[in-house]
Amino acid sequence: MAQTLYDKIWDEHIVKSFDDGSSLVYIDRQMLHEVTSPQAFEGLELAHRKLWRRNSLLATVDHVVSTTDRSRPLEDSKAQEQFETLEKNVAKHNICYFSPQDKRQGIVHVIGPEQGFTLPGITLVCGDSHTATHGAFGALAFGIGTSEVEQVFATQTLILRKMKNMRIRVEGELKEGVGAKDLILSIISNIGIAGGTGHVIEFTGPVIERLSMEGRMTLSNMAIEAGARSGLIAPDETTFSFLKGKPYAPSGDGWDQAVAFWKTLKSDKNAVYDAEITINASVIEPQVTWGTNPEMCGGITDCIPDPAIISDEIRRSSIERALNYMGLKSGQKIEGLPVDQVFIGSCTNGRIEDLRQVAQIAKGRKKAANVKRVLIVPGSGLVNEMAEKEGLDKIFIEAGFEWRMAGCSMCLAMNDDKLQSGERCASTSNRNFEGRQGAGGRTHLVSPIMAVAAAIEGCFTDVRPYLKGEK
Amino acid sequence: MEKFKKLTAQAAYIPIANIDTDMIIEKKHLKTIKRSGLGKWLFAELRYDVDGKPVADFILNQKPKAQILLTGENFGCGSSREHAPWSIMDFGIRVIIAPSFADIFYNNSYKNGLLLIKLDKENISKLAQSADEILIDLNAQTVSNSINSYSFEIESNIKDILLGGIDVIEAILQYSHDIKTYEAAHFKRQPWINGEINA
């Protein structure tokens, strides 16, 4: 029978099927960070259990790490305790670990691909919902809770039920100034934040095939914001050339053998999907979220919608609540809305391609006076190093931006990078939930080039005139 | 894990859709290495004002003994943090009834003995209108009060885990031999998966 990419990876990883329809599924690799692992290690020890396979693990610190200061101990004693606990645990179990002093440290979803730890066809988990990112390589990757982190430690498996297959085919072409971030925001506003619940999404079509690995990762990263735990893209030459020579990727004959296998993974021509959606990329314009979840989103030239037209009472009141929180009114234009801070980084948009695009627009320009701070946070130490080699850091600093060290930073504000109550932020991150970037902070999700245009103009603005040389 | 069989308790209604994990437990409370003690921070932004005083009209301040939460669709969307179900359980809530739940949150919940029940929003709203206690019978798969009774669906393996308070790891380790056999064949097919991961 014709199979999808997801069907193939699923079948390969079934250890045992149970009568009730669930399966024991083998997990090839797991990434660890300081926030969701301590209780899993504690559970393992309390039950006197052993790690099943240490070669399946890679650990780092990303969530609570400071992006300005790598000295220890941390000022925040609780963050320090998480740090110490992770370091004690990785030492005890002899787990591969990148400390903040190591240039390979960074956001788990940036460093996994960078190191070739992420590979096509594997199952990869992490106690972090944005694990969906790794699906860009054709890996079945999804976020899990701490109990499941512990299960994978002890058994290398999870009991799962197969999800449904959803295909999102993207046709047409992304216009100048419109990128992977705009595409995924537009998809989410189309299908809704629960539109992918119970499904694994596979992104296909000519637009996806033309995307770089960085763009594909941005897309897969936010599959979870559409409710899907995984967002897959079939591996192809773009994938292979990204991975070739990476430290943990196979090499020599092993590489050829792996590539030959990876080429068999793409969905069969006649594969059947439970749900199919077609998106025309040509009509998408640069996106800006206006509410408190990623589906509350529109184009830069749109106005904020009127909740009064929504008949469902709970939905209507959710939008009213969102507009109240965001300090916005229905009918208001998004363009021209002043911003207080700009955040460029995160596992969605903290890669070198993102920073290059930002630098292109920032070059020779300055941050607007009303913008209090523009944070540029690379996704990893290696991205940081590459950017500095290319002189991007100088462009940012000359523009009045702050050039930081790698970490999750103001995507979720678990370190000291956060918004003050009422501050409005143009952010390249993935969630605009209430308080996400700091209590009372107002987050608008945008692409990196839309964020830098807002930094220069001091308000949300259409980035396209900058690219056309009209500004 | 504590077993779940039956529960008769007060319910609190939070009629908001898409309650996300940041709303359930703010990230500043994730800096813990323990599972316990998070109940006081559950829904903190809704529960306390800027000075940290309880907000009088927030339902969980009015019903601090509620063990059942009635709420809107897509409850628990967002992050994979298990601190969300931990904080809910630590507060004392044992059952959440909503039209739908986010996938990761659903998985995290039953592994901690928290029962999630899907009911139509009309039925949830009817349950919320009554001040009665609600009776939950997991074995019979019913939710009822003195006026209404509804049955609900639950996957049989999840039901068994909740009813028996089963330790999932212990249950999986019974299949250790199957896992080892599988693993050997899997690594033969894809040897690169078993590469050394060293710093």
Side-chain angles (χ1 to χ4, degrees), chain A residues 248-312:
Chain A
Y248 302 129
S251 57
D253 289 348
W255 170 258
D256 297 335
Q257 194 193 347
V259 170
F261 176 79
W262 296 338
K263 283 182 176 168
T264 68
L265 290 169
K266 66 169 186 252
S267 294
D268 297 331
K269 241 189 195 139
N270 303 320
V272 179
Y273 294 82
D274 302 286
E276 297 212 47
I277 289 157
T278 302
I279 301 279
N280 177 8
S282 309
V283 300
I284 298 171
E285 59 169 4
Q287 301 285 300
V288 186
T289 64
W290 46 261
T292 52
N293 71 46
E295 81 177 45
M296 297 177 180
C297 179
I300 179 67
T301 60
D302 289 348
C303 295
I304 288 155
D306 184 0
I309 59 168
I310 296 165
S311 57
D312 183 278

Side-chain angles (χ1 to χ4, degrees), chain A residues 159-281:
Chain A
I159 295 176
L160 300 173
R161 224 162 248 274
K162 196 174 175 195
M163 298 270 168
K164 289 182 181 160
N165 278 290
M166 175 185 280
R167 172 161 68 183
I168 298 183
R169 189 179 156 80
V170 188
E171 290 177 346
E173 59 176 327
L174 291 168
K175 293 286 194 277
E176 188 179 35
V178 180
K181 182 64 166 288
D182 304 296
L183 173 60
I184 188 65
L185 285 171
S186 165
I187 290 172
I188 297 165
S189 68
N190 240 290
I191 70 172
I193 55 167
T197 302
H199 292 79
V200 162
I201 296 175
E202 182 181 348
F203 298 102
T204 72
V207 173
I208 309 300
E209 286 161 22
R210 285 195 296 269
L211 279 179
S212 65
M213 275 325 296
E214 284 85 353
R216 292 179 188 184
M217 285 188 257
T218 301
L219 202 63
S220 292
N221 171 273
M222 290 188 72
I224 184 66
E225 308 313 330
R229 282 175 90 175
S230 298
L232 304 186
I233 295 171
D236 60 9
E237 292 304 326
T238 305
T239 323
F240 308 146
S241 63
F242 181 98
L243 287 172
K244 194 165 190 184
K246 295 280 192 283
Y248 302 129
S251 57
D253 289 348
W255 170 258
D256 297 335
Q257 194 193 347
V259 170
F261 176 79
W262 296 338
K263 283 182 176 168
T264 68
L265 290 169
K266 66 169 186 252
S267 294
D268 297 331
K269 241 189 195 139
N270 303 320
V272 179
Y273 294 82
D274 302 286
E276 297 212 47
I277 289 157
T278 302
I279 301 279
N280 177 8

Side-chain angles (χ1 to χ4, degrees), chain A residues 348-366:
Chain A
T348 313
N349 281 126
R351 299 184 178 81
I352 191 68
E353 186 183 271
D354 301 312
L355 301 188
R356 284 179 188 142
Q357 288 177 3
V358 169
Q360 229 166 21
I361 292 173
K363 194 167 185 178
R365 296 194 168 96
K366 297 259 182 244

